[in-house]
Every structure is written in C-alpha cells, then in structure tokens.
C-alpha cells in the first residue's frame, strides 16, 4: 500500500526538518522542498521514503517543476506544510523595494503557488490539509519589520481566505503563528544568556502541525499560536 504524501516547502535545520521528521514517523512519504538541496538531500537520506527537491517557491516555473516531480515520484500529496518564510529586518527607511518584494514573493506568492498545485487533487479526494507556518509578524507590524510583517500579514490573509473557500470541500487550511525565537544553533549563539525555556522547540511546532491534520471536521482550528510558556504577550 502506497504511503500518504506530505510536502514540506521550506526545509532548513529548524521547523522544516522537524516537520519532515514528524510526518515520516507517522508513515508519510515526505517531499522536502528547498531552494538549495544540500541540507534537504542529507536529511532525506536519513528519513525512510523521503525525497529532496530543489524549488524556488518565489518562481512559478520552479514550483510547477518540483510539484510535478513529487507527483511522479510519490503521488498526490494529502498534506502541504508551507514553511518557507524569510525577510530582511528593518524600518521603512531601511527596507529597499527589493527587500519588500522578496519577502512578499517568498511568504505570500509562494504559498499561493504551492497551494494551487495541491488543491485540485485534494478537491477530487474530498480531503487534505494545508498548514501555513506564520509568525508574530502575521498579526502585527513592528517598527523594524516593514517588509517582513507586510508579507506575513498577506500570508495570513491568504490562508484565511483559502480556509473559508476550501473547508466546505474537505480541505483543512490552518495557520500556526510562531510567536517567539526558534531554537537553532545560530539563535543560541546570538542569545547565549537566554534560558532553555526562552526558545521554541521545532519538534513541538511540528507536533502542532501534525495534530492540525488529524482534527475532526466538526471542530477544525484555523489559527493556533505557539509560544514558549515564559514569553511575554
């Protein structure tokens, strides 16, 4: 029997890798999408049934090529985790037009393009899950997040529009708002005085994502906030 397929778009050593591990542990064949495949290829070698694909989510042709390859190799995906998200920190004075466009293309346009690739098959099946990984900036614009918060806000609005349109078709669209600092070697190095409780664990974010895909349709969640218990909010 073929394994169910999960695509994780935006795979790095933090949340992306954690999502890949979590869904693999549940018996999924996982497609790991990243702009450069060096890290994801090595990760795929350690995960049974996983495969790595080079994909620039900001480029429509690259997205189409990658998703066609996934369908050919693994089958139609039942789950899409859209974890791609980056942006340059800076005020409106600091941010360039290129910074703004890049953040928007990765966070909003990429989510749009990837979702369009999986929705038709999910509609035919009458089921599926699309999980967006957002950020604090999804909900508010900080003074130094002119480009990033604009893009993450657009991503959240896209996800909400999709949820309202697709839930009746059996497709669960949801958003995880990651409110805090993800536990990575580089963030630990940058914040050496912070206690362990300060950081968000990628495996715990991935657990939320997996559980969202298991919810019953009578009580689906759209937006779930994830923050360390000591985070000030």
């Amino acid at each position: 029997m073929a394994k169910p397929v999960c695509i994780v778009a935006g795979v790095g050593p933090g949340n992306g890798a954690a999502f890949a591990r979590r869904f693999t542990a549940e018996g999924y064949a996982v497609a790991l999408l990243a702009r450069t495949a060096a890290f994801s290829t090595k990760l795929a070698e350690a995960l049974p049934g996983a495969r790595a694909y080079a994909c620039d989510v900001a480029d429509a042709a690259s997205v189409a090529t990658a998703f066609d390859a996934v369908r050919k190799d693994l089958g139609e995906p039942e789950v899409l985790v859209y974890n791609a998200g980056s942006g340059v920190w800076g005020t409106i004075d600091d941010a360039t037009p290129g910074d703004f466009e890049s953040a928007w293309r990765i966070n909003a346009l990429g989510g749009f393009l990837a979702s369009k690739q999986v929705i038709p098959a999910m509609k035919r099946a009458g089921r599926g899950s699309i999980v967006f990984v957002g950020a604090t900036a999804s909900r508010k614009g900080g003074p130094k997040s002119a480009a990033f918060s604009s893009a993450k806000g657009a991503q959240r609005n896209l996800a909400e529009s999709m949820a309202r349109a697709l839930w009746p078709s059996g497709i669960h669209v949801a958003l995880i708002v990651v409110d805090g600092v993800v536990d990575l070697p580089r963030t630990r190095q940058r914040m050496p005085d912070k206690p362990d409780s300060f950081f968000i664990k990628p495996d715990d974010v991935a657990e939320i994502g997996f559980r969202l895909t298991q919810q019953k349709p009578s009580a689906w969640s759209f937006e779930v906030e994830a923050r360390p218990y000591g985070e000030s909010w």
Side-chain angles (χ1 to χ4, degrees), residues 53 64 66-77 117-118:
Y53 301 84
F67 277 74
D68 283 345
V70 172
R71 284 188 285 265
K72 179 181 178 181
D73 295 340
L74 303 177
E76 296 286 359
Q117 288 289 327
V118 302

Side-chain angles (χ1 to χ4, degrees), residues 76-186:
E76 296 286 359
E78 294 186 12
V79 176
L80 168 64
V81 178
Y82 193 78
N83 183 60
S86 65
V88 175
W89 294 100
T91 67
I92 185 64
D93 294 316
D94 302 324
T96 67
D99 295 334
F100 191 93
E101 182 178 357
S102 177
W104 177 80
R105 292 183 71 87
I106 293 169
N107 291 280
L109 178 62
F112 174 89
L113 295 172
S115 297
K116 294 276 279 187
Q117 288 289 327
V118 302
I119 288 169
M122 289 181 178
K123 280 188 171 181
R124 290 193 297 269
R127 67 180 187 278
S129 298
I130 301 173
V131 179
F132 287 86
V133 181
T136 311
S138 305
R139 303 279 294 277
K140 61 184 181 182
K144 294 185 178 181
S145 65
F148 186 62
S149 63
S150 298
K152 278 298 186 183
Q155 183 189 75
R156 183 191 181 281
N157 286 338
L158 170 65
E160 186 172 25
S161 176
M162 287 171 50
R164 297 179 71 179
L166 297 175
W167 278 22
S169 299
I171 303 172
H172 185 188
V173 182
L175 172 75
I176 304 172
V177 176
V178 179
D179 184 17
V181 178
V182 177
D183 193 358
L184 296 166
R186 67 174 181 268

